[in-house]
Amino acid sequence: MASRKVTAQQVVRMLFESSSDHDYDTDSASEAEEEAGDSGSEFSVQEYSSDEEATLSADEGPELEEDIDVPRVQQPGAEGFPIRRPDTWIAPNMEQPQLPAFTSLPGCRVNTENFLPVHFFHLFMDDVFLEEIVEQTNVYAEQYLRDNAARLKPQSRATHWVPTYLEEMKRFLGLSFLMGLIRKPSLASYWSTSPLMATAIFPATMTRNRYLLLLRMLHFVDNALALPRDHPDCDRLFKIRPVLDHFVDRFSEVYVPGKEISVDESLVR
């Protein structure tokens, strides 16, 4: 294997002449040659015979797979690849959704001037709605006592049931809402007589046993109308369907939300 000496100027010339697929700036090439010529540096380049070159190309060259389909990478802004703005939502199919125009007049549809807190309560839970709860609670209590008469003990709280009525149901709901403001470790503790735990409004409004009995019998729909679980029309929300439908209707009747709505994560858990 023979070797020969080449200058830096010759190396630069070979680099620029070896590639016919690219255009180079001839002025830059000339300047590079002049700089290499001025330096007077030399490089040692080894020459190989044709057999040795074939061996190198076969053994030492990188192994490449043939027929590789290299995917084309589209740049943002190219055709079919729109630029996304941070404040613009684009569907997964890359098409901008067509949103209907907002034409509603947002705000409260009820004149609430001089309203007291109880008036706002009645906007959503009027007497007609509460009477339905009273009726269904009494219906379920009768069904429960009839179906469990044989196994109920004389001292059972359920044996002391008497039908409820509208005013009592309002007191029951009022105490239930108040429990959300006054937090205690158990239901029984709301009727505690201890000076450290006592809250006078609870025993003054309703006895503990009566509250627990109403809580046990509270119902919103007749269980006898429920479809079997394997029925194709079975409603998994059957137990609370009347309440859900009532509030959905009342919310839309009383208030119209604006165009932009923020939904807190606690509402969709």
Side-chain angles (χ1 to χ4, degrees), residues 161 172 176 187 210-219:
W161 169 261
F172 170 82
S176 300
L187 283 176
R210 183 59 178 175
Y211 180 90
L212 295 177
L213 189 55
L214 284 172
L215 184 63
R216 175 67 182 83
M217 301 299 181
L218 183 66
H219 261 65

Side-chain angles (χ1 to χ4, degrees), residues 223-239:
N223 287 351
L225 303 178
L227 296 174
R229 291 182 178 272
D230 57 351
H231 194 280
D233 296 330
C234 178
D235 185 4
R236 298 179 64 181
L237 297 177
F238 172 79
K239 293 279 189 178

Side-chain angles (χ1 to χ4, degrees), residues 49-269:
S49 64
S50 59
D51 295 338
E52 291 174 336
E53 290 178 355
T55 303
L56 286 174
S57 61
D59 298 338
E60 299 181 7
E63 297 181 359
L64 300 176
E65 296 183 2
E66 297 182 356
D67 300 331
I68 298 178
D69 186 12
V70 180
R72 177 174 174 267
V73 179
Q74 289 183 306
Q75 298 297 326
E79 183 179 357
F81 197 94
I83 298 177
R84 294 191 181 187
R85 294 176 53 190
D87 57 346
T88 303
W89 182 85
I90 298 179
N93 59 3
M94 307 303 292
E95 295 182 1
Q96 187 70 25
Q98 299 297 323
L99 301 179
F102 182 78
T103 58
S104 298
L105 182 62
C108 186
R109 293 184 173 183
V110 179
N111 183 11
T112 58
E113 186 177 359
N114 299 324
F115 258 40
L116 297 175
V118 67
H119 296 147
F120 287 99
F121 173 80
H122 288 153
L123 279 178
F124 301 99
M125 302 186 72
D126 55 12
D127 288 353
V128 176
F129 175 68
L130 295 177
E131 284 283 10
E132 183 65 20
I133 297 178
V134 169
E135 179 181 353
Q136 296 302 329
T137 299
N138 288 331
V139 168
Y140 175 74
E142 293 177 2
Q143 294 172 347
Y144 178 83
L145 294 174
R146 182 186 65 243
D147 297 339
N148 298 277
R151 65 184 186 87
L152 286 177
K153 298 180 180 180
Q155 65 272 24
S156 173
R157 187 181 294 117
T159 59
H160 300 284
W161 169 261
V162 293
T164 187
Y165 51 96
L166 179 61
E167 292 303 320
E168 185 181 48
M169 183 59 65
K170 289 182 179 180
R171 293 198 296 269
F172 170 82
L173 293 175
L175 293 180
S176 300
F177 294 152
L178 186 57
M179 289 177 182
L181 300 176
I182 304 174
R183 308 303 295 271
K184 294 193 177 185
S186 65
L187 283 176
S189 62
Y190 286 96
W191 282 265
S192 173
T193 57
S194 169
L196 298 177
M197 295 288 293
T199 306
I201 188 63
F202 286 91
T205 304
M206 184 179 296
T207 65
R208 182 193 64 183
N209 286 345
R210 183 59 178 175
Y211 180 90
L212 295 177
L213 189 55
L214 284 172
L215 184 63
R216 175 67 182 83
M217 301 299 181
L218 183 66
H219 261 65
F220 308 111
V221 67
D222 189 354
N223 287 351
L225 303 178
L227 296 174
R229 291 182 178 272
D230 57 351
H231 194 280
D233 296 330
C234 178
D235 185 4
R236 298 179 64 181
L237 297 177
F238 172 79
K239 293 279 189 178
I240 61 171
R241 177 61 63 186
V243 177
L244 182 61
D245 292 343
H246 169 80
F247 281 119
V248 169
D249 293 339
R250 289 303 295 160
F251 290 154
S252 60
E253 293 171 1
V254 173
Y255 188 83
V256 177
K259 181 180 179 180
E260 285 81 21
I261 302 175
S262 176
V263 180
D264 187 82
E265 61 182 6
S266 62
L267 299 178
V268 293
R269 287 179 181 174

